Amino acid sequence: MTPAYSIVIPTYRRGDSLAECLDSVCALDYAKDRIDVVIIDNGGSENTQAAAEPFRNRLAIKYLVNAKNGGYGFSVNRGIVESSGDRILLLNDDARPMPDVLKKCDELMSGDPLIACVGFRAIEVGYLRPATEIGKISNSGEVVANFDIDCGSPIEVEHVYGFCYIFTREAVRRAGLNDRTLLAQPYSSGNRIETDHCLSIRRAGLKVVYHPGMAAVHLAKPRPDMSEVSPRWHRNSIRNTIYLYLKHFGPFGKGGAALRLTFLVDVGVISMLRRPTRANIAYFMHGVGSRTSAYWHWIKYLAGARVDTPAAFQRFVAKAV
């Protein structure tokens, strides 16, 4: 029988966190024979599979180990492809969903067949609120989150928080997997991946909803496979944001946000001209490379298939693992 939910958990060298995550899955107030769990471990020979062994008598677990670190996004896509449930709960190993979330999701989706993606409210220490709106793509070039707000009832949004969210198999059929351009580097934090996924789902004629009653604790643990202060992470962040705006809104949409991000935001040219140190020159050149990459991949997207299908990704996996 096809599971109602497949829970996809990407993990990397955090055995204790994975075990705690699986404990929270066991605590879900939902029939366990209607759930399966797909764990994708990026650790290669240093995987943490032993952490999942005590849970095999309580959960239907498929544990897959990538031969090498393909990055967070690679694991997410592989988990989606290897899962079979009608709905997919993407769950980071440092997320702890509340026991009632799947029942609340059933209730929400039963009332509107067009709802294909549901985001959770984050219970997270130190969560930053950059604006007042929830789940918006602003004209300024800022991707507004605010997913810790209890707005009372579910609302339709442009995107959700990727640490823990649910989407349907129909969304995968219509909108495909996560965009592999955004996942190109193993050190990528997953920056803009879920935002792009949500926008693609909306473009396919389906709804994305934020449900404040579906909550999960997010521990926001540091990841051992990337650093948010490294130059290459910064390059990837610039590239992904510009590419996101180009892909979904073009160079002139959202008030020309893509062009302003390209030429006016975080460029570094003034610092380089005033103080032409090695660090400032390198910062500027990294930015040029990131922006060039964003436009190049946008052109490739326009000329290509437009959707990363499960079949295409399976062919890619066959070569990569």
Side-chain angles (χ1 to χ4, degrees), residues 119-122 124 126-138 140-151 155-163 192 194-195 198 209-212 218 245:
F120 287 44
R121 177 167 57 86
E124 180 178 324
Y127 189 94
L128 299 176
R129 292 186 182 181
T132 57
E133 295 181 299
I134 301 172
K136 296 294 183 181
I137 313 296
S138 77
S140 68
E142 182 181 23
V143 179
V144 179
N146 296 333
F147 296 120
D148 68 332
I149 296 176
D150 186 351
C151 54
I155 59 170
E156 193 168 350
V157 294
E158 289 183 277
H159 70 109
V160 301
Y161 195 178
F163 84 105
R192 307 305 180 212
E194 71 269 27
T195 307
C198 291
V209 170
Y210 168 67
H211 194 327
H218 187 210
Y245 272 88

Side-chain angles (χ1 to χ4, degrees), residues 55-111:
F55 297 91
R56 289 192 180 275
N57 61 344
R58 302 163 66 187
L59 299 166
I61 294 176
K62 179 190 289 188
Y63 202 107
L64 301 170
V65 178
N66 295 330
K68 61 181 180 179
N69 181 9
Y72 170 81
F74 177 90
S75 291
V76 169
N77 274 356
R78 191 180 180 199
I80 295 169
V81 167
E82 296 281 357
S83 67
S84 58
D86 290 328
R87 296 170 186 163
I88 299 161
L89 167 56
L90 177 58
L91 185 63
N92 284 8
D93 66 11
D94 61 354
R96 312 287 181 260
M98 297 295 105
D100 60 356
V101 293
L102 298 188
K103 285 187 174 181
K104 286 186 175 179
C105 188
D106 282 350
E107 181 181 357
L108 175 68
M109 288 189 164
S110 67

